Amino acid sequence: MEPTDINVRNSYDEQAIQKFMDENYLDTQGNIKAFSETDTTDDNYKKLSELNPIKLPSGVIYVIRDGAQPSPGVAIETNSSASNATQIKTMIRANYYLATNTDGNINLSSRGALFNTIDGNGSPFTDPTFYYVKKSVLDAATVDVAKQRSYYEIEGFQEGLKQFRGYENTANGAPYNLQGVIIVPSKAAYARDSNYYNLQNACFVFNFQIYDAKTRPADQQ
């Protein structure tokens, strides 16, 4: 049952995210993996919480993975309305969770896939809707709420992505080497607002590599 007090929801999110970061690590390709209680092969990996996670004032947490960043790479302008806004082509696994309290045990549960090119068709995707929604979609919307970028775009993901730099012109078929993790609590995502994905109160975990970053062409805005 959803707590009526938004502060309780935010506290659940914070505690569950911390637990998630203690229970998961990054494998040799940068995939988030849960530690096994029976398999000792993952014992030498550091927890996500030990990989220098940075927490932004909004509550968004990001982890930049050592050895997986472009040099120098391309700065990413995530403000959709900026004249130099960045179009991204990405390999990404984006999951959503609900932080729940079961008999005092707070966890990220009810996992679902928001978007996944890594386990799916294996091809990078350009500008997923939760990052950038096209003007044509906004213009075609028939209800006021769907004419707003915030109905589609996850501000916390955009905020976290700004902390990374993108590769340029990586071939679609190149094996991925994920750059890191962005974790977005519900208050920095859709919170309790209606949204395109119908995911109120959800936290999001993004695991990704930016294959190509460039200024978005006018005909793709």
Side-chain angles (χ1 to χ4, degrees):
M1 186 164 166
E2 179 58 30
T4 53
D5 185 345
I6 194 69
N7 294 310
V8 175
R9 157 57 50 215
N10 292 341
S11 176
Y12 285 179
D13 287 358
E14 194 166 332
Q15 292 176 69
I17 286 169
Q18 184 58 50
K19 189 171 185 182
F20 178 88
M21 291 174 61
D22 287 338
E23 293 179 346
N24 289 271
Y25 66 95
L26 297 180
D27 71 8
T28 55
Q29 277 188 288
N31 295 287
I32 297 172
K33 294 285 179 70
F35 283 107
S36 168
E37 293 181 3
T38 54
D39 186 351
T40 59
T41 57
D42 61 17
D43 289 357
N44 293 324
Y45 286 96
K46 288 184 175 182
K47 305 171 185 177
L48 278 177
S49 57
E50 297 172 328
L51 296 177
N52 192 31
I54 305 294
K55 187 174 184 178
L56 299 171
S58 62
V60 171
I61 294 171
Y62 66 94
V63 175
I64 295 180
R65 182 169 162 250
D66 279 351
Q69 308 308 317
S71 180
V74 179
I76 300 174
E77 174 52 75
T78 60
N79 178 354
S80 301
S81 303
S83 59
N84 62 333
T86 304
Q87 181 181 74
I88 61 168
K89 185 164 70 172
T90 180
M91 286 293 278
I92 190 166
R93 184 188 292 110
N95 290 330
Y96 61 85
Y97 300 82
L98 185 67
T100 56
N101 183 348
T102 307
D103 301 326
N105 195 12
I106 297 175
N107 289 294
L108 287 183
S109 58
S110 307
R111 185 179 85 169
L114 177 72
F115 198 78
N116 190 340
T117 64
I118 293 171
D119 304 314
N121 64 17
S123 293
F125 191 88
T126 299
D127 281 350
T129 302
F130 56 81
Y131 169 70
Y132 179 79
V133 61
K134 289 187 175 180
K135 290 175 183 173
S136 59
V137 174
L138 299 177
D139 292 343
T142 55
V143 292
D144 285 347
V145 68
K147 294 180 180 292
Q148 310 298 319
R149 290 200 168 276
S150 58
Y151 185 70
Y152 308 87
E153 297 172 5
I154 298 177
E155 188 175 353
F157 174 67
Q158 296 169 330
E159 187 184 6
L161 193 61
K162 257 188 191 172
Q163 314 302 322
F164 292 79
R165 297 180 76 85
Y167 285 87
E168 290 181 275
N169 301 315
T170 305
N172 282 0
Y176 65 83
N177 188 32
L178 303 181
Q179 289 175 251
V181 178
I182 297 170
I183 303 176
V184 181
S186 63
K187 68 179 182 180
Y190 301 117
R192 296 182 171 183
D193 299 334
S194 60
N195 61 82
Y196 177 69
Y197 298 99
N198 199 26
L199 290 171
Q200 287 91 351
N201 302 301
C203 298
F204 295 87
V205 178
F206 302 92
N207 197 192
F208 61 92
Q209 179 183 346
I210 303 302
Y211 271 46
D212 190 33
K214 64 185 180 186
T215 299
R216 185 173 293 110
D219 64 351
Q220 294 176 48
Q221 294 177 7

